[in-house]
Amino acid sequence: MKKTILLLVVLILGVACAFAQGSSEKAVAGDKPVTLTIYSPGNVNSVPTKTILKYKELVEAASNGAIKLTVNHSGELGNDAEALQSTRMGTIDIIFAGTSGFTSFYDNAKILDLPFLFKDAHSAYQIVNSAIGEQIFADMPSVGLVYLSEGDNGMRHIATTKKAIASVEDVKGLKIRVPTSKMYLDVWSALGATPVALSLNELAIALANGTAEAQDNATYHLVANATYDDIKHYSFINYMWMGCTMAMNEKSWNKLTADQQKILKEQAIVAAKYSFDTIEEDNISATAVLKKAGIIFNETPDIQSFKNKLGGAQYYKQYASEKWYNQSIVDAILAK
């Protein structure tokens, strides 16, 4: 009887020790946070960098410190193209950069460069961070990435060095600087202007020497990039919205638990909203700076005249043969 009791005691102590050891190992493993690198090529004052700093704060709070984000910015890990490639390779875990950069290897994102898709930035946020955005970026794993959210990079308008712009008739023959993109060239040619494709670092000089008489940038971009010295007029034509995409390396994503993935996804959408709110605030302060510099604003130009000149929704169908073009997505956006 004594031997039986002694055996039971030994067994119970053994099980208790094993359980305690297992619990201890689990606790140690659970205490070790997952550390991920996140990057924006912009400087510390740029909206994308402010956004990833906010994202770090959101993710670490939502995960109770179980997920740590190491933030890099200001060109530390390369320019946009280099950083995007590094994220696809896994050197960088998460990237937040201009959507236009993604179009160099992910064609489906080109649909967001179509003109007059969005009424304003608010509607853009609602649409691109819904099922429509998920559909646009659904094939991202094919290029080694997972889509998290779509932030803001500003709504493009028109700013000129001489004449005011009240309707599409006023841009006829106007030499307007555009990014080196076929779609931007297509739009302004169809509107009757004379588009001049130049890199951003050439813009200020082009406006000063008359190579360009206008630019198509968001309000805060004029101030942030110091390209307003020769600008006299600014018109809110809401012709093109620019996005910033947050994406993660697919292999890094697949190493995470479902709960960790959920936190990153949910907080990415919150961070995206932060970028929209921040740009809205920056636009207000930039407008004040531009008005103080003597620039005259037209807040109610005839936007419909621009749409009519393009032929409405029929304009988009010139891209119907392109692999990235999706009529159902275009229709869904326009219906919002």
Side-chain angles (χ1 to χ4, degrees):
M1 183 67 176
K2 289 181 179 179
K3 289 183 178 179
T4 302
I5 293 172
L6 181 61
L7 181 60
L8 286 170
V9 170
V10 171
L11 286 171
I12 291 169
L13 288 172
V15 170
C17 288
F19 180 79
Q21 184 178 7
S23 297
S24 176
E25 288 175 353
K26 188 174 182 180
V28 171
D31 288 341
K32 185 178 180 181
V34 172
T35 301
L36 302 169
T37 301
I38 185 167
Y39 183 59
S40 165
N43 63 42
V44 70
N45 294 316
S46 70
V47 173
T49 296
K50 289 179 182 178
T51 301
I52 63 172
L53 288 166
K54 182 66 175 179
Y55 186 53
K56 170 184 170 68
E57 176 188 317
L58 291 166
V59 167
E60 293 182 357
S63 67
N64 293 319
I67 304 174
K68 298 287 187 183
L69 296 184
T70 301
V71 174
N72 294 96
H73 54 79
S74 305
E76 293 172 339
L77 303 181
N79 60 29
D80 285 61
E82 293 165 343
L84 286 167
Q85 183 60 21
S86 293
T87 309
R88 295 174 68 188
M89 293 172 62
T91 309
I92 298 170
D93 294 306
I94 305 171
I95 183 89
F96 189 52
T99 306
S100 59
F102 286 80
T103 62
S104 64
F105 57 85
Y106 187 70
D107 282 351
N108 290 0
K110 290 179 179 177
I111 200 165
L112 294 174
D113 280 342
L114 291 171
F116 297 110
L117 272 187
F118 305 100
K119 297 172 185 174
D120 50 36
H122 176 73
S123 62
Y125 169 76
Q126 298 292 338
I127 292 168
V128 294
N129 288 294
S130 70
I132 294 173
E134 295 295 332
Q135 186 178 352
I136 292 170
F137 293 102
D139 292 331
M140 264 198 157
S142 67
V143 295
L145 299 173
V146 172
Y147 170 66
L148 294 178
S149 68
E150 189 72 4
D152 193 16
N153 201 20
M155 182 70 77
R156 299 180 90 99
H157 305 288
I158 186 169
T160 56
T161 58
K162 297 176 182 177
K163 63 190 300 187
I165 305 298
S167 75
V168 73
E169 292 303 315
D170 296 321
V171 305
K172 188 175 182 179
L174 185 72
K175 293 184 290 184
I176 180 169
R177 176 268 172 183
V178 297
T180 52
S181 161
K182 182 180 183 301
M183 203 170 299
Y184 285 79
L185 291 167
D186 287 347
V187 171
W188 285 102
S189 294
L191 290 171
T194 303
V196 181
L198 295 170
S199 62
L200 186 59
N201 60 8
E202 299 175 285
L203 176 54
I205 294 173
L207 292 170
N209 65 26
T211 302
E213 302 167 308
Q215 61 176 303
D216 68 328
N217 264 321
T219 317
Y220 84 97
H221 280 168
L222 268 70
V223 175
N225 298 320
T227 58
Y228 65 91
D229 286 350
D230 295 282
I231 295 298
K232 299 294 187 292
H233 298 274
Y234 193 101
S235 293
F236 291 113
I237 62 170
N238 282 24
Y239 99 95
M240 182 91 73
W241 174 75
M242 300 176 288
C244 252
T245 303
M246 187 177 291
M248 184 168 181
N249 175 267
E250 185 189 19
K251 291 181 180 178
S252 297
W253 174 262
N254 289 336
K255 290 177 183 177
L256 302 176
T257 66
D259 285 343
Q260 290 168 339
Q261 292 175 347
K262 183 181 179 184
I263 288 170
L264 288 174
K265 180 69 175 177
E266 289 178 347
Q267 299 309 315
I269 294 173
V270 177
K273 183 63 167 62
Y274 171 85
S275 74
F276 278 84
D277 292 342
T278 302
I279 285 184
E280 183 176 6
E281 293 171 2
D282 286 355
N283 280 336
I284 292 171
S285 58
T287 298
V289 170
L290 297 175
K291 285 183 176 179
K292 188 175 181 179
I295 295 172
I296 300 170
F297 280 77
N298 184 346
E299 298 185 11
T300 57
D302 185 1
I303 295 175
Q304 192 59 46
S305 69
F306 288 86
K307 295 179 180 180
N308 292 345
K309 182 71 173 181
L310 293 179
Q314 280 295 123
Y315 177 81
Y316 307 131
K317 294 186 178 178
Q318 66 180 297
Y319 302 107
S321 62
E322 302 281 348
K323 290 182 179 179
W324 56 265
Y325 186 79
N326 188 313
Q327 189 62 54
S328 65
I329 290 178
V330 170
D331 290 342
I333 293 174
L334 294 176
K336 296 293 184 180

